Amino acid sequence: MIRDWLNALPLVAILRGIRPDEALAVGHALYDATFRVIEVPMNSPEPLESIRRLSSALGDDCLIGAGTVLRSEQVAQIAAAGGRLIVMPHADVAIITAAKRAGLYCIPGVATPTEAFAAIHAGADAIKLFPAEQITPTVLKAWRAVMPRDLAMLPVGGITPETMAPYIAAGADGFGLGSALYAPGRETDDIRRRALAFVQAWKTGTASQGTNT
């Protein structure tokens, strides 16, 4: 279950724009900071090669996959590269179905309860609340009251260490982290520092809620 990967640290590193030649250095920096879920968006340079390298080096201990998956035929390509996770900005049932048939985890993006329930019924392993700027902590709290209790709900979009606490208090089960964590050209040491800041913000936020994570 995807909870097995999220239980230790439910923070998904989104490496949009990463190149294959820097994938391993960034991946190891994130691993050292205790990240265990990494996605390479498909609109990055040579995303399948980055996924292949990350999966080869870290795949036993990390869940490596692809983000911004827009076509169902991409699922087989990602699986062939060693990816085990499909993340989407939308809730295309055809892609969810293809991912589950291939034995992969799938986290579709949703912006309404209607999309969320359709994704759940199609087999989604978790849902990505996207964009988080639109789905505020108040909205998340309302959703949490009607969504399955065991469903992981991950806000994504504009998340920083400073904005996590209100979402955690509203019931967020983790986060997807983009440009505040990784951006092309950012030094590896800076990425590691940013990763550790997110880890600390998660620990502080969950501790204040009395959550054992």
Side-chain angles (χ1 to χ4, degrees), residues 68-210:
T68 317
V69 180
L70 303 179
R71 303 190 309 275
S72 56
E73 58 265 29
Q74 292 177 316
V75 170
Q77 300 169 353
I78 294 160
R84 292 185 286 166
L85 172 66
I86 301 296
V87 184
M88 306 135 62
H90 61 327
D92 188 326
V93 170
I95 297 175
I96 299 171
T97 301
K100 300 315 298 177
R101 284 178 177 168
L104 308 186
Y105 296 107
C106 187
I107 306 178
V110 301
T112 69
T114 298
E115 292 177 343
F117 280 110
I120 294 166
H121 292 156
D125 295 284
I127 58 173
K128 163 183 169 179
L129 308 185
F130 180 77
E133 295 94 335
Q134 174 181 317
I135 303 171
T136 64
T138 300
V139 173
L140 170 56
K141 184 176 181 180
W143 285 33
R144 186 75 277 177
V146 297
M147 294 294 164
R149 289 305 308 168
D150 61 347
L151 176 72
M153 300 174 65
L154 313 176
V156 180
I159 300 297
T160 68
E162 294 74 24
T163 61
M164 290 168 66
Y167 282 102
I168 294 170
D173 299 287
F175 298 89
L177 310 173
S179 59
L181 173 64
Y182 169 84
R186 187 168 286 158
E187 294 292 332
T188 304
D189 286 344
D190 187 16
I191 295 167
R192 184 180 290 105
R193 285 192 295 270
R194 289 168 181 264
L196 291 171
F198 275 111
V199 171
Q200 185 57 52
W202 173 256
K203 291 180 177 178
T204 300
T206 54
S208 70
Q209 298 300 312

Side-chain angles (χ1 to χ4, degrees), residues 9 11-15 18 23-39 54 58 62 177 181-182 188 191-192 194-196 198-199:
L9 181 71
L11 303 180
V12 181
I14 303 170
L15 307 184
I18 197 165
L24 290 186
V26 172
H28 283 294
L30 293 169
Y31 185 87
D32 291 344
T34 71
F35 276 67
R36 293 296 182 268
V37 185
I38 300 172
E39 71 166 87
L54 287 166
L58 300 172
C62 291
L177 310 173
L181 173 64
Y182 169 84
T188 304
I191 295 167
R192 184 180 290 105
R194 289 168 181 264
L196 291 171
F198 275 111
V199 171

